[in-house]
């Protein structure tokens, strides 16, 4: 029998992924690449003494000084995601309460506060990481090699990536730009700075591009394609983690409401359950033993990574909280 909470969570994961991709596409489309390139060109002309001025201008232009003023934040809020996440939270809360034979009022003040906090936390974490990636990238592009147009394109393609992804794409770009500028340069010398900074797959991609020869235009196309792949990987991971996190927070809210109204006995406790297979990480596998007697509904689980009220413990975590009477 399919758990209705799991079924709803899977659907929400797909919805979040689609909404994130739509928001990123809108943010990229709204970025004025010509104005961005002009700023970089002026920064080149004015030299190092004026670099701080242009760094501030770029921060204002892209909107990463204030996360809520960024183009990505605007695009994210323009999607139906905020409404969808709120409805999802309410539905999971109701299902969790119904599981213990209680009808939860998901419009009550405490349920609304928990819902808004969960949605706001997801939004803030996603935008913070995305903004960091953009901020680091335009600082690099102020001094990076290549034309202003090429550097502006790199800033645009970073939209929606994490900081680690942005750093790896920067390393890939440096190698491709170096090769395109001097196709006869030693390949080993170009690849040497990439060691330890990119994945084996990225290194393989670079090696192939250098072996067959890559023009500046082809290098830009390779970077665009690779950035899309990185974005897709991140949105999929973010969507899964967000759906899981919001579902677990909503479950706890439903149980807490039921317990407050007497539908759930006071001796009911939460227990940490892992996925139980070889993919379970060591820190996650240790949590059940650290909480053998479970935890009350108003207390966090003890974990090797610190107190944690609800799964997920880390990105990609598949653990769940389950409810049962204390032994």
């Amino acid at each position: 029998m399919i758990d209705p909470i799991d079924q709803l969570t899977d659907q929400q994961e797909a919805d979040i992924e689609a909404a994130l991709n739509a928001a990123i596409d809108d943010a990229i489309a709204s970025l004025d690449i010509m104005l961005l390139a002009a700023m970089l060109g002026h920064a080149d002309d004015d030299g190092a003494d004026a670099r701080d001025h242009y760094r501030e201008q770029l921060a204002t232009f892209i909107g990463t000084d204030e996360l809520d003023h960024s183009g990505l934040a605007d695009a994210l809020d323009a999607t139906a995601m905020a409404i969808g996440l709120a409805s999802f939270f309410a539905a999971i809360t109701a299902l969790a309460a119904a599981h213990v034979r209680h009808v939860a009022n998901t419009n009550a003040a405490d349920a609304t506060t928990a819902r808004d906090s969960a949605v706001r936390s997801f939004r803030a974490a996603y935008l913070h990481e995305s903004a960091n990636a953009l901020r680091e990238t335009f600082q690099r592009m102020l001094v990076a090699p290549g034309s202003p147009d090429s550097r502006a394109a790199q800033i645009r393609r970073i939209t929606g990536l994490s900081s680690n992804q942005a750093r790896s794409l920067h390393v890939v770009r440096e190698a491709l730009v170096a090769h395109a500028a001097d196709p006869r340069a030693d390949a080993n010398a170009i690849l040497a700075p990439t060691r330890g900074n990119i994945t084996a797959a990225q290194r393989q991609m670079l090696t192939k591009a250098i072996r067959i020869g890559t023009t500046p235009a082809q290098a830009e196309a390779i970077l665009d394609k690779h950035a899309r792949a990185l974005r897709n990987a991140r949105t999929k991971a973010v969507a899964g983690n967000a759906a899981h996190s919001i579902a677990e927070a909503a479950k706890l809210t439903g149980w807490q409401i039921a317990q407050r109204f007497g539908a759930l006995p006071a001796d009911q406790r939460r227990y940490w359950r892992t996925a139980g297979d070889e993919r379970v990480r060591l820190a996650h596998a240790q949590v059940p033993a650290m909480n053998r007697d479970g935890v009350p509904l108003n207390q966090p689980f003890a974990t090797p990574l610190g107190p944690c009220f609800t799964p997920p413990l880390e990105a990609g975590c598949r653990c769940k909280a389950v409810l049962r009477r204390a032994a």
Side-chain angles (χ1 to χ4, degrees):
M1 182 178 177
I2 299 176
D3 185 329
I5 289 180
D6 289 345
Q7 189 174 31
L8 194 56
T9 303
D10 289 344
Q11 180 57 55
Q12 187 63 36
E13 180 178 338
D15 291 345
I16 294 173
E17 185 176 353
L20 283 175
N21 282 327
I24 292 168
D25 288 344
D26 287 346
I28 290 174
S30 68
L31 195 60
D32 190 333
I33 193 73
M34 294 180 65
L35 181 56
L36 192 53
M39 285 184 183
L40 290 168
H42 291 319
D44 292 343
D45 293 339
D46 291 346
D49 291 341
R51 195 155 288 145
D52 286 343
H53 165 71
Y54 285 104
R55 186 175 288 112
E56 291 173 3
Q57 273 204 335
L58 284 165
T60 301
F61 175 74
I62 297 173
T64 56
D65 272 350
E66 296 292 339
L67 297 183
D68 282 341
H69 295 167
S70 70
L72 183 56
D74 292 341
L76 197 62
D77 292 341
T79 69
M81 182 181 292
I83 296 174
L85 290 177
S87 299
F88 170 60
F89 189 97
I92 297 294
T93 298
L95 285 171
H99 180 68
V100 294
R101 296 177 175 83
H102 179 71
V103 178
N105 177 8
T106 57
N107 292 318
D110 53 352
T112 300
T113 299
R115 179 199 70 199
D116 291 348
S117 176
V119 173
R120 188 166 54 248
S121 294
F122 156 69
R123 180 184 179 279
Y126 177 77
L127 288 174
H128 180 73
E129 180 68 12
S130 300
N132 279 344
L134 277 171
R135 186 181 298 112
E136 292 169 7
T137 298
F138 71 64
Q139 288 175 347
R140 290 191 186 100
M141 290 305 106
L142 280 170
V143 296
S147 69
D149 287 342
S150 172
R151 287 179 283 151
Q154 180 74 351
I155 294 173
R156 180 174 62 180
R157 67 172 62 99
I158 290 300
T159 302
L161 298 189
S162 69
S163 293
N164 286 339
Q165 288 176 320
R167 293 184 197 111
S168 72
L169 193 64
H170 174 65
V171 173
V172 170
R173 180 185 179 274
E174 293 272 290
L176 286 173
V177 167
H179 169 67
D182 184 5
R184 291 177 295 182
D186 180 59
N188 290 329
I190 292 174
L191 290 171
T194 70
R195 289 192 179 93
N197 295 309
I198 58 176
T199 65
Q202 288 173 319
R203 188 174 175 83
Q204 186 177 19
M205 176 185 68
L206 275 177
T207 302
K208 179 181 177 181
I210 292 172
R211 186 179 69 247
I212 64 177
T214 301
T215 66
Q218 289 170 332
E220 295 296 327
I222 290 172
L223 289 167
D224 285 340
K225 182 178 180 180
H226 188 50
R228 282 195 299 273
L230 291 173
R231 270 196 301 275
N232 289 338
R234 185 186 180 214
T235 53
K236 187 173 184 62
V238 165
N241 203 62
H244 185 188
S245 179
I246 291 173
E248 289 293 324
K251 277 167 52 179
L252 176 57
T253 299
W255 293 336
Q256 288 173 331
I257 291 172
Q259 191 172 68
R260 190 171 66 252
F261 283 92
L264 188 62
D267 63 353
Q268 290 283 309
R269 298 169 74 85
R270 295 184 301 137
Y271 291 81
W272 189 283
R273 177 186 292 170
T274 72
D277 57 27
E278 69 282 354
R279 292 170 52 201
V280 174
R281 282 166 276 189
L282 178 60
H284 302 221
Q286 292 173 331
V287 179
M290 295 175 67
N291 302 271
R292 291 187 186 279
D293 297 325
V295 296
L297 271 60
N298 62 348
Q299 291 184 18
F301 291 99
T303 85
L305 305 181
C308 180
F309 246 97
T310 63
L313 183 58
E314 298 175 278
C317 172
R318 296 168 297 144
C319 301
K320 296 179 182 179
V322 295
L323 194 66
R324 67 174 186 263
R325 182 169 293 157

